[in-house]
Amino acid sequence: MPAPKISEKLVKAQIAEGRGMGHGEAYQAFIQLKRWNASPVSTQTPEALYPFRRLVHFLCRSEWYLALVFAWIGCWVREQFPMWPWLHAHPLAGLPGASVDLPCSSGTIELCRRAGIKHGVWVGTDIEYIWTMDLALYLAWLPPTVDACVFVSVKPLQDDMFAKELDVLSRPAEKLEIEDRYAKELNARYFVGDRSVYPGDFLGQLEMFHASSWNPEPRIRIALNDMLMRHGGELEKCSPHDWRDILKTEFLLDTPSANYAVHHIIWHQLVDVDVSQFVRFDRAPVPGGRALRDNIRRSLMRGQHG
């Protein structure tokens, strides 16, 4: 399928349909993976990213894995987030409880002018290009103030390790400069990184447990809650296989449902399980997952503003 030709009409139509706007379930990524722009290194997942059900659009594996980590610790993740060329509201504006005093962005045209950088247009047109931030995070355990806004630019830190990824380093250095200025103007934190900052076992297991992150159907939820009430203090001494057996024998869940409940427990750390190392289902869990989650949260909150 050929790509649609960029025109002022097309860009206006995309904005009118809500591209790059909204929060939570209502957010629409500005860049969306379609048949005409798919890539062997693109990651268009058939399911959503917790806690929402909307389809997500990640352009490389690093974006997906980092987003998994941020979702696990409690962030609301918006991918391919537009840094509009014109004056516009703070990314957290519109959230319930957000202050009307949140700073605005001057827009990338003005930021480029100040930096002495050419803004750029869509190829073959004179339409100002719409720059995007790879990941925009709302630290949802905090009130919606500037301290709860974090931007992440994804680039490979180990080129040989990610030879098949999108070559984010091929973007001009000016892109990172404007991203940093964008974050500074909004008094938001800004990070640059990729999935190599986290162990492979950790990322792979998060991906597996993520499939069971959402609230289960009523019969599983009831069984899970009853088990936690009846055996909660004992589960840390039992193996995940034991948890599954309890769910099957005492609460009459079938094996797939019991497995879902066990993975749900681990994703949400209802029992403290260190997911940074390989989880043995035939042994009592090694604690440390809750501390790891808290440490990652603190690392985001300690980052520099812009």
Side-chain angles (χ1 to χ4, degrees), residues 224 240 243-244 247 257-267 281:
L224 177 57
W243 307 347
R244 183 186 63 187
L247 287 161
S257 298
N259 285 336
Y260 187 101
V262 168
H263 287 193
H264 187 84
I265 289 172
I266 297 174
W267 171 270
F281 280 73

Side-chain angles (χ1 to χ4, degrees), residues 216 218-236 238-253 257-266 270-271:
R219 64 186 182 83
I220 300 175
R221 184 171 65 250
I222 292 170
L224 177 57
N225 290 341
D226 287 349
M227 183 182 75
L228 291 171
M229 290 180 63
R230 190 179 301 178
H231 299 285
E234 308 165 8
L235 295 180
E236 62 185 21
C238 305
S239 73
H241 280 168
D242 293 333
W243 307 347
R244 183 186 63 187
D245 291 342
I246 292 171
L247 287 161
K248 292 172 65 176
T249 57
E250 290 190 35
F251 302 100
L252 306 180
L253 289 185
S257 298
N259 285 336
Y260 187 101
V262 168
H263 287 193
H264 187 84
I265 289 172
I266 297 174
L270 302 177
V271 176

